[in-house]
């Protein structure tokens, strides 16, 4: 493989002071500075405009000597970096960036850095024009909004926080997801593929069939008294009935609140009491791998609990999930409980749309709060619709022929924005998978990819690392040739997992959209655009259109250039949440008071010399060791780079000398035994990669980590185990395997 070096001039010297801080990027309408590549005495130029199709070497490089051309497998040093071109070779630890190939960029919606910069400039300098242009051209509005596209106040010093987009515009999200696509000729296109937990059981719905099912449920909900603005709590697994329910609520203007069907009855009751729903929708049971989870029993307990707290629900609509449990074995309360199959199919397959204002509520989604009380994040209709559809389209470079699979559950924001609404607003074909990703073996994901010819695969780093631990053999025995774009969501993905995902799963030919966003943001905020930017493994790269991220210090002063600090956003974007349900004061205190004038994300972020953003995790996951602020994600990334470490989770513990110490839970690779030698080697790896100040004070061996059924590590439990506060572990019912906690406690002094 030929090595090509470049002079040590930063690749994006203009981006730092302009794109990242002041967002005045008009000077970037030209190609980025020429970069000199030394290859056998020849000079090459890397152009920002990757859609100039008259160059050699996959059209990324132009030769000063037109008689010579480097091989397509050449690895270039860009500035101080090394690079590999998408599809040319695997990304190694020596490769700092992965360049999009000419073939991919040529067909991409955003084919170059130049195009991105043009669109980004337009979105920042004229957000009203940028977003109203998209809203007008790509969505149906019964009535257009007035002269003012948006209004905002993000500064608590100037009064109440307020964000509005397209207010006065009348629309409906369900109509735009279904009716509009059917009118455009997509009636017979597959809207949903459904794959059961048990191999061999599946189902499909076309867009016209989906609309009929949605209308039947919408008509039923109206018949039991659900009206515009009423709440409906949804406690369903990943059956097709889950997006059907969400869309049915949206059709009649009801506000759905989906609760992940893994939360305990206490957690469910807490949400019922808060939003006071007219109806609760669930199913009797679900299979997760070989285990049966009796959801109806959990709902029954929650309804008793909420009734004792003064909130009674008169209707519990229950779907019979026959593969998990027959109805005759389901506990039942006459007069309240109703079988879905007995009533919903009897209703008409057409239902009038309830037209709503853009600022009318669409859904409530509860997210964890530092006080223990969940926060009811409220998203409204118009801005969320426009933003989720647009982010989905560009971040995944969506094509009409794509088959899209997001492994997230609709109980989380990812399932709202990027299983249901974002994809269907684009008329996409979406795959739903009911079961566990490693059932009946760790090859199940790739079996599903091949079965449905999945082209876009979007998942969490936790799942990537878990599958990585099981070895390449479960991946490589499947073709996966249909894959075109990969995606990562939920937490920062460490570079070693990124490379495995890229090299093994994607065969070194699929770009990874490593997305950063939050329940509160509604959609992607910082993300690669697959055909435009060179990717650095582990970096979320640059902001999406209309997003102005800034990094500030503890005093709220914006930092320029290479820096680390608190990630904030200035100015609003259409997908932003509008309030916390019933607690606007908490909304302002949590998100806007810490740094007046900004939306405070709660996350830490670093920006490198090339302008790339690196998320370092929640700031409450930052450990202050002897005055050094150390992100837990940074230490975890160093640990999992060790060849014998499959997974790691780091928390802070009290330390008499340092203030806080670093406590690391480590899961070795399959077949590797716990040993003092491995412990020392892991600590040395962290010392080498980060510094002696970041070396873990304790390595706690972990056969597995406590995770929710969606794959999220429960760090709250790890903190209690590390602090030996074993009587304060709290609710462990949402864990995929509660037995893991006992294993960790037994190994505490090993």
């Amino acid at each position: 493989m030929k090595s090509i070096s470049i002079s040590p001039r930063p690749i994006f010297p203009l981006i730092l002071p302009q794109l990242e801080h002041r967002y005045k990027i008009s000077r970037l309408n030209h190609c980025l500075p020429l970069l000199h590549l030394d290859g056998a005495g020849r000079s090459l130029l890397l152009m920002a405009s990757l859609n100039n199709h008259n160059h050699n070497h996959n059209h990324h490089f132009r030769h000063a000597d037109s008689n010579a051309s480097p091989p397509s497998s050449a690895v270039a040093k860009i500035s101080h970096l090394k690079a590999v071109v998408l599809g040319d070779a695997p990304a190694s630890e020596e490769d700092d960036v992965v360049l999009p190939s000419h073939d991919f960029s040529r067909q991409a919606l955003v084919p170059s850095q130049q195009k991105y910069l043009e669109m980004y400039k337009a979105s920042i300098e004229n957000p009203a024009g940028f977003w109203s242009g998209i809203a007008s051209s790509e969505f149906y509005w019964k009535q257009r909004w007035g002269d003012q596209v948006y209004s905002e106040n993000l500064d608590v010093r100037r009064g109440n926080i307020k964000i509005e987009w397209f207010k006065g515009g009348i629309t409906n999200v369900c109509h735009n997801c279904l009716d509009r696509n059917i009118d455009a000729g997509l009636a017979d296109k597959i809207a949903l593929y459904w794959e059961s937990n048990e191999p061999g059981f599946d189902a499909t719905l076309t867009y016209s069939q989906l609309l009929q099912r949605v209308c039947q449920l919408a008509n039923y909900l109206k018949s039991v008294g659900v009206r515009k603005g009423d709440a409906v709590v949804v406690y369903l697994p990943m059956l097709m009935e889950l997006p059907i329910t969400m869309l049915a609520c949206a059709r009649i203007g009801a506000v759905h609140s989906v609760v992940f069907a893994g939360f305990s009855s206490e957690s469910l009751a807490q949400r019922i009491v808060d939003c006071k729903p007219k109806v609760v929708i669930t199913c009797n049971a679900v299979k997760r791998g070989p285990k049966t989870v009796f959801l109806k029993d959990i709902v029954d307990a929650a309804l008793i609990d909420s009734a004792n707290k003064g909130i009674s629900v008169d209707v519990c609509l229950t779907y019979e999930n026959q593969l998990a449990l027959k109805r005759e074995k389901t506990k039942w309360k006459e007069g309240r409980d109703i079988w879905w199959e007995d009533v919903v199919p009897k209703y008409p397959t057409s239902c009038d749309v309830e037209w709503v204002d853009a600022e009318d509520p669409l859904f409530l989604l509860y997210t964890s709060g530092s006080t223990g009380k969940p926060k009811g994040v409220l998203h409204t209709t118009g801005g969320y619709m426009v933003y989720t559809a647009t982010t989905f389209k560009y971040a995944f470079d969506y094509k009409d022929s794509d088959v899209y699979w997001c492994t997230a559950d609709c109980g989380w924001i990812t399932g709202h924005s990027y299983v249901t609404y974002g994809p269907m607003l684009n008329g996409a074909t979406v795959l739903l998978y009911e079961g566990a990703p490693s059932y009946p073996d760790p090859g199940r994901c790739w079996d599903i990819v091949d079965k449905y010819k999945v082209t876009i695969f979007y998942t969490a780093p936790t799942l990537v690392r878990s599958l990585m631990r099981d070895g390449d053999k479960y991946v490589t025995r499947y073709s996966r040739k249909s894959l075109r774009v990969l995606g990562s969501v939920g937490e920062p993905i460490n570079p070693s997992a990124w490379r495995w995902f890229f090299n093994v799963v994607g065969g070194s030919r699929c770009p990874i959209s490593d997305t950063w966003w939050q329940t509160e943001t509604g959609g992607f905020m910082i993300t690669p655009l697959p055909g435009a930017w060179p990717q650095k493994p582990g970096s979320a790269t640059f902001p999406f259109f209309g997003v102005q991220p800034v990094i500030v210090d503890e005093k709220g002063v914006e930092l320029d250039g290479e820096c680390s600090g608190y990630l904030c956003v200035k100015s609003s974007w259409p997908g932003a949440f509008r309030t916390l349900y019933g607690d606007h004061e908490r909304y302002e205190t949590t998100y806007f008071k810490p740094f007046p004038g900004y939306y405070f994300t709660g996350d830490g972020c670093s920006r490198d010399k090339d302008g790339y953003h690196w998320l370092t995790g929640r700031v409450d996951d930052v450990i202050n060791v002897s005055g050094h602020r150390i992100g837990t994600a940074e230490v975890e990334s160093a640990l999992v780079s060790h060849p014998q470490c499959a997974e790691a989770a780091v928390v802070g513990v009290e330390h008499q000398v340092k203030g806080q110490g670093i406590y690391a839970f480590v899961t070795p690779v399959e077949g590797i035994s716990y040993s003092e030698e491995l412990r020392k080697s892991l600590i040395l790896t962290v010392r080498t990669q980060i510094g002696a100040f970041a070396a873990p004070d304790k390595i706690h061996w972990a056969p597995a980590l406590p995770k929710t059924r969606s794959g999220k590590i429960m760090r709250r439990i790890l903190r209690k185990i590390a602090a030996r506060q074993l009587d304060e572990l709290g609710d462990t019912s949402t864990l995929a395997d509660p037995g893991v906690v006992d294993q960790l406690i037994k190994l505490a002094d090993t």
Side-chain angles (χ1 to χ4, degrees):
M1 188 173 292
K2 187 174 181 180
S3 179
I4 305 176
S5 62
I6 304 179
S7 59
R9 187 178 184 186
I11 185 172
F12 307 130
L14 295 179
I15 292 177
L16 297 178
Q18 299 186 50
L19 172 59
E20 298 162 1
H21 181 49
R22 303 191 188 284
Y23 301 94
K24 296 176 181 178
I25 57 175
S26 58
R27 290 164 56 196
L28 291 173
N29 285 335
H30 306 292
C31 289
L32 297 174
L34 306 182
L35 302 173
H36 301 284
L37 293 85
D38 182 15
R42 294 184 293 272
S43 176
L44 301 169
L45 308 175
L46 176 64
M47 310 301 291
S49 184
L50 300 183
N51 60 345
N52 188 330
H53 303 318
N54 298 317
H55 302 322
N56 291 319
H57 179 45
N58 284 346
H59 308 288
H60 285 283
F61 300 97
R62 184 178 65 189
H63 286 261
D65 177 0
S66 61
N67 295 321
S69 175
S72 62
S73 61
V75 175
K77 278 188 175 181
I78 302 177
S79 174
H80 52 288
L81 309 174
K82 290 184 178 180
V84 64
V85 177
L86 192 73
D88 277 2
S92 72
E93 292 185 9
E94 296 179 353
D95 298 314
D96 294 303
V97 297
V98 176
L99 299 172
S101 67
H102 164 68
D103 286 343
F104 193 99
S105 292
R106 178 174 55 83
Q107 302 176 64
L109 295 173
V110 183
S112 66
Q113 298 165 30
Q114 173 70 14
K115 180 64 175 176
Y116 163 81
L117 293 169
E118 291 174 358
M119 295 178 71
Y120 186 78
K121 174 189 174 185
S123 72
I124 298 303
E125 294 185 352
N126 182 16
F130 181 86
W131 289 112
S132 64
I134 292 174
S136 298
S137 63
E138 300 190 22
F139 302 92
Y140 177 80
W141 298 82
K142 186 76 170 178
Q143 175 181 308
R144 185 181 165 84
W145 53 93
D147 294 335
Q148 190 175 41
V149 177
Y150 73 100
S151 62
E152 63 180 32
N153 174 41
L154 274 59
D155 194 334
V156 292
R157 297 166 298 189
R158 298 180 179 176
N160 292 336
I161 300 299
K162 185 178 182 181
I163 299 170
E164 293 180 336
W165 283 82
F166 311 114
K167 186 173 178 60
I170 305 300
T171 189
N172 183 282
V173 172
C174 177
H175 178 88
N176 277 281
C177 284
L178 303 180
D179 308 64
R180 179 176 59 93
N181 285 317
I182 291 171
D183 292 343
L186 302 184
D188 295 328
K189 182 177 181 178
I190 298 296
L192 291 175
Y193 286 118
W194 176 76
E195 175 78 5
S196 169
N197 178 75
E198 300 299 329
F201 294 90
D202 52 43
T204 62
L205 285 176
T206 64
Y207 268 91
S208 62
Q209 291 169 334
L210 177 58
L211 176 59
Q212 292 172 2
R213 297 276 295 274
V214 166
C215 287
Q216 287 179 318
L217 179 59
N219 284 319
Y220 167 76
L221 291 175
K222 289 199 296 183
S223 76
V224 295
V226 177
R227 298 291 180 263
K228 177 183 176 181
D230 289 338
V232 174
V233 164
V234 186
Y235 191 75
L236 283 167
M238 288 299 281
L239 304 171
M240 288 197 286
E241 282 66 27
L242 180 45
I244 286 171
T245 300
M246 296 165 69
L247 290 163
C249 290
R251 192 168 191 86
I252 62 174
V255 181
H256 60 72
S257 181
V258 181
V259 180
F260 172 58
F263 273 116
S264 65
S265 61
E266 293 88 348
S267 297
L268 177 58
Q270 197 173 30
R271 289 153 173 79
I272 291 172
V273 169
D274 194 63
C275 72
K276 304 172 182 59
K278 283 283 187 73
V279 175
V280 171
I281 300 179
T282 188
C283 75
N284 54 350
V286 66
K287 296 277 285 187
R288 291 196 177 100
K291 182 181 179 181
T292 301
V293 182
F294 299 96
L295 298 182
K296 179 63 165 49
D297 292 352
I298 296 171
V299 172
D300 288 345
L303 291 174
I304 291 172
D305 189 359
S306 60
N308 290 336
K309 294 175 181 176
I311 303 300
S312 296
V313 180
D314 296 330
V315 178
C316 179
L317 183 65
T318 306
Y319 182 81
E320 181 187 2
N321 191 11
Q322 295 184 7
L323 292 176
L325 185 70
K326 301 298 184 183
R327 67 167 63 189
E328 55 267 22
K329 295 184 178 181
T330 303
K331 295 178 183 177
W332 207 248
K333 182 178 179 180
E334 293 296 337
R336 183 198 68 187
D337 299 344
I338 299 168
W339 286 112
W340 176 307
E341 289 89 339
D342 288 351
V343 294
V344 174
K346 296 178 181 178
Y347 281 82
T349 56
S350 62
C351 176
D352 292 340
V353 169
E354 180 73 36
W355 299 105
V356 300
D357 189 275
E359 283 300 321
D360 283 339
L362 176 63
F363 66 85
L364 272 174
L365 186 57
Y366 288 86
T367 185
S368 299
S370 58
T371 64
K373 180 183 177 183
K375 299 173 292 188
V377 170
L378 178 67
H379 279 285
T380 53
T381 300
Y384 175 85
M385 175 180 74
V386 173
Y387 196 73
T388 52
T390 307
T391 49
F392 173 83
K393 175 180 176 179
Y394 288 108
F396 294 123
D397 188 46
Y398 171 71
K399 305 289 193 296
D400 290 342
S401 58
D402 280 321
V403 176
Y404 168 77
W405 180 19
C406 172
T407 64
D409 192 286
C410 287
W412 311 111
I413 186 63
T414 305
H416 284 60
S417 299
Y418 300 113
V419 172
T420 303
Y421 292 119
M424 290 190 180
L425 287 165
N426 281 279
T429 294
V430 178
L431 170 64
L432 302 177
Y433 174 48
E434 176 193 22
S438 58
Y439 179 78
D441 64 49
R444 183 67 186 277
C445 283
W446 322 122
D447 178 44
I448 293 172
V449 165
D450 281 1
K451 176 178 178 179
Y452 295 97
K453 302 295 186 293
V454 172
T455 58
I456 303 172
F457 179 71
Y458 188 38
T459 194
T462 300
L463 178 57
V464 173
R465 289 192 293 266
S466 175
L467 297 174
M468 182 179 171
R469 178 188 180 189
D470 293 317
D472 297 0
K473 63 181 181 180
Y474 288 105
V475 184
T476 55
R477 71 188 188 193
Y478 296 97
S479 166
R480 313 172 324 284
K481 288 183 179 179
S482 60
L483 289 174
R484 192 176 67 82
V485 175
L486 303 175
S488 173
V489 61
E491 59 181 302
I493 184 170
N494 51 290
S496 60
W498 192 102
R499 292 187 188 94
W500 183 85
F501 197 27
F502 175 80
N503 292 333
V504 179
V505 175
S508 306
R509 55 186 169 72
C510 301
I512 300 175
S513 290
D514 179 11
T515 61
W516 174 80
W517 60 299
Q518 301 173 312
T519 302
E520 294 87 346
T521 71
F524 304 147
M525 299 291 279
I526 304 177
T527 180
L529 299 184
W533 288 109
Q535 293 188 261
K536 292 187 180 184
S539 170
T541 65
F542 297 100
F544 191 75
F545 308 130
V547 178
Q548 301 185 51
V550 294
I551 298 174
V552 303
D553 63 16
E554 292 182 355
K555 296 181 180 179
V557 177
E558 291 186 23
L559 303 174
D560 288 327
E562 189 175 1
C563 62
S564 294
Y566 300 93
L567 181 62
C568 295
V569 182
K570 60 181 180 182
S571 297
S572 67
W573 60 99
F577 73 133
R578 303 307 197 244
T579 191
L580 294 177
Y581 180 69
D583 199 347
H584 196 75
E585 182 179 354
R586 187 183 184 190
Y587 168 73
E588 295 185 344
T589 300
T590 303
Y591 300 99
F592 298 96
K593 283 188 178 178
F595 300 103
Y598 302 97
Y599 164 73
F600 174 45
T601 68
D603 282 340
C605 184
S606 295
R607 187 170 53 224
D608 65 21
K609 65 181 67 176
D610 297 319
Y612 283 69
H613 293 79
W614 301 79
L615 276 297
T616 55
R618 302 293 296 174
V619 292
D620 55 10
D621 287 335
V622 173
I623 306 171
N624 196 329
V625 180
S626 301
H628 297 286
R629 293 179 61 81
I630 303 168
T632 56
E634 189 177 12
V635 181
E636 290 167 0
S637 182
L639 288 167
V640 297
S641 71
H642 190 288
Q644 294 181 328
C645 176
E647 198 163 23
V650 170
V651 297
V653 292
E654 289 188 12
H655 193 283
Q656 288 183 342
V657 176
K658 301 176 182 178
Q660 280 188 298
I662 298 176
Y663 196 108
F665 293 83
V666 172
T667 303
V669 170
E670 191 73 33
I672 299 298
S673 301
Y674 311 142
S675 68
E676 185 60 22
E677 291 75 18
L678 178 56
R679 186 194 310 271
K680 291 179 179 178
S681 181
L682 287 164
I683 293 173
L684 179 60
T685 297
V686 178
R687 291 173 65 99
T688 301
Q689 291 194 18
I690 304 174
F693 63 89
D697 296 278
K698 168 74 174 178
I699 299 290
H700 187 137
W701 301 120
L705 296 173
K707 299 174 185 175
T708 65
R709 297 182 183 97
S710 65
K712 182 179 180 180
I713 297 171
M714 293 287 282
R715 297 174 192 275
R716 167 181 61 80
I717 292 174
L718 295 180
R719 291 190 190 97
K720 296 300 182 183
I721 293 174
R724 302 296 190 270
Q725 297 170 338
L726 304 182
D727 58 340
E728 299 177 20
L729 292 176
D731 183 14
T732 61
S733 66
T734 61
L735 296 178
D737 181 8
V740 167
V741 175
D742 292 331
Q743 291 179 306
L744 291 176
I745 292 172
K746 291 177 182 178
L747 289 167
D749 298 315
T750 301

